[in-house]
Amino acid sequence: MSTRPVVAELARRLARADRVLVLTGAGVSAESGVPTFRDALTGYWSRYRAEDLATETAFRREPVLVQRWYAERQRLLEKVRPNDGHRALTDLACLVPILTLVTQNVDGLHQRAGSEDVAELHGRLSVSRCIECGGVGESLEPTGDLPARCTDCGGLIRPGVVWFGEALPERALRDAEAAAERSDVALVVGTSGLVHPAAALPSMARAGGAYVAEINTARTPLSPDADVVLLGPSGTLLPALVEAVREVRRAG
Ligand code: BJW
Ligand code: ZN
């Protein structure tokens, strides 16, 4: 079945919305060459177990393994670029009165595509800090012995991301929840919808009366509760959607 009528309806709703919430996950960066977490062949978790790497307990147990994993991912980010999906979301922000972009991604690609005020629920990979004194800017890659330690106090250096069991940045979560409750349309892009509290935002938006649209290459646990599910890569679907919003505005 063609997705065109569905895209047209979603575009009409976006064109008359006052407030739009966009929630993104790893899928939006997949076409930039950043592996997702849970996709069977390319996801990070297919090579490692989450609990071996993405918790503070794991880090304290095996700091060298965890630092190496994150340092490798930091190096990858220096080589990748935002894709058409990131750019389309930057464009969409200029077409609606209030757009709140909330991401679970730690790669900074939305900002590099030109998006402003991005609520980063799971932190930022490029910002490392000392686990003892909180000093930022230390490298995960030591010039001397491993593991990398803080030059001020000798504490271990960790990436500035949110691990399982850790609280999300207060302001980002507060902004995301407020935007969800007030949104007219919620676009949920490239997330498996498995990790909370981010995964609760679409249902929060729907409870507040929003029209919820999901864009993903596969169905997710969020799909049954979405008003519309567009199956396909976000790097293609998002630019098409933004073009459709422009058309509605030109026509109206
Ligand atoms: C495409 C595509 C293309 C592919 N186009 N699509 C309620 C219920 C149950 C559990 C909990 C709950 N509340 C809290 C929890 C516990 C836990 C949790 O959710 N566990 C579940 C897994 C069961 N949550 C937490 O611990 C959170 N903290 C918390 O709640 O703290 C409470 C607290 C309060 C006060 C004091 C102390 C504590 C923290 C969660 C942190 C998540 N961290 C990670 C790692 C970050 C570091 C790192 O980068 O290594 O964040 S986990 C990982 O998953 C990462 C991601 O941001 C996150 C979400 O993944 P995402 O983005 O959805 O990616 P994938 O791979 O899963 O999916 C990709 C999707 O894209 C797929 O659907 C594809 O089909 C699609 N796709 N190509 C479009 N081209
Ligand atoms: Zn320190």
Side-chain angles (χ1 to χ4, degrees):
M1 199 185 89
S2 163
T3 56
R4 286 189 66 151
V6 183
V7 171
E9 167 64 11
L10 176 56
R12 273 192 296 278
R13 288 184 181 262
L14 282 166
R16 63 168 190 259
D18 287 324
R19 292 171 186 267
V20 174
L21 168 78
V22 180
L23 170 66
T24 66
V28 82
S29 295
E31 289 156 87
S32 291
V34 181
T36 62
F37 289 91
R38 295 174 186 81
D39 284 325
L41 292 173
T42 56
Y44 284 117
W45 301 152
S46 65
R47 284 193 287 150
Y48 306 95
R49 292 190 323 144
E51 52 274 32
D52 289 341
L53 299 165
T55 66
E56 187 176 340
T57 310
F59 176 59
R60 287 184 183 271
R61 197 174 49 226
E62 288 203 69
V64 174
L65 172 74
V66 176
Q67 284 180 347
R68 279 201 178 128
W69 188 58
Y70 282 99
E72 184 192 314
R73 289 175 52 197
Q74 282 182 345
R75 283 194 298 271
L76 173 71
L77 289 190
E78 287 163 19
K79 295 184 205 135
V80 301
R81 300 271 169 275
N83 64 54
D84 289 345
H86 297 108
R87 281 187 284 274
L89 291 174
T90 307
D91 293 347
L92 185 61
C94 302
L95 297 172
V96 296
I98 299 176
L99 181 142
T100 306
L101 178 51
V102 178
T103 190
Q104 298 167 82
N105 299 345
V106 297
D107 56 30
L109 287 174
H110 286 303
Q111 290 88 339
R112 284 172 58 192
S115 289
E116 290 169 7
D117 299 326
V118 182
E120 293 180 303
L121 293 182
H122 295 161
R124 181 70 85 93
L125 182 54
S126 60
V127 184
S128 304
R129 67 173 189 273
C130 167
I131 62 167
E132 302 299 340
C133 73
V136 294
E138 302 273 359
S139 174
L140 284 170
E141 298 186 82
T143 38
D145 293 344
L146 286 161
R149 290 186 178 277
C150 174
T151 46
D152 286 338
C153 77
L156 289 167
I157 303 301
R158 62 162 288 172
V161 300
V162 180
W163 282 326
F164 286 115
E166 293 183 330
L168 275 61
E170 226 171 275
R171 167 127 193 248
L173 183 59
R174 204 178 49 233
D175 289 352
E177 290 178 341
E181 280 164 1
R182 291 178 203 153
S183 59
D184 304 307
V185 178
L187 269 187
V188 183
V189 189
T191 177
S192 58
L194 294 171
V195 175
H196 287 264
L201 292 169
S203 57
M204 212 177 266
R206 195 144 197 262
Y211 181 84
V212 178
E214 181 180 46
I215 294 182
N216 200 304
T217 44
R219 289 181 69 82
T220 73
L222 302 174
S223 306
D225 293 324
D227 292 289
V228 60
V229 180
L230 293 174
L231 287 176
S234 50
T236 307
L237 289 176
L238 284 172
L241 179 61
V242 170
E243 191 43 43
V245 176
R246 284 200 184 100
E247 270 168 34
V248 174
R249 287 175 59 117
R250 273 196 295 267

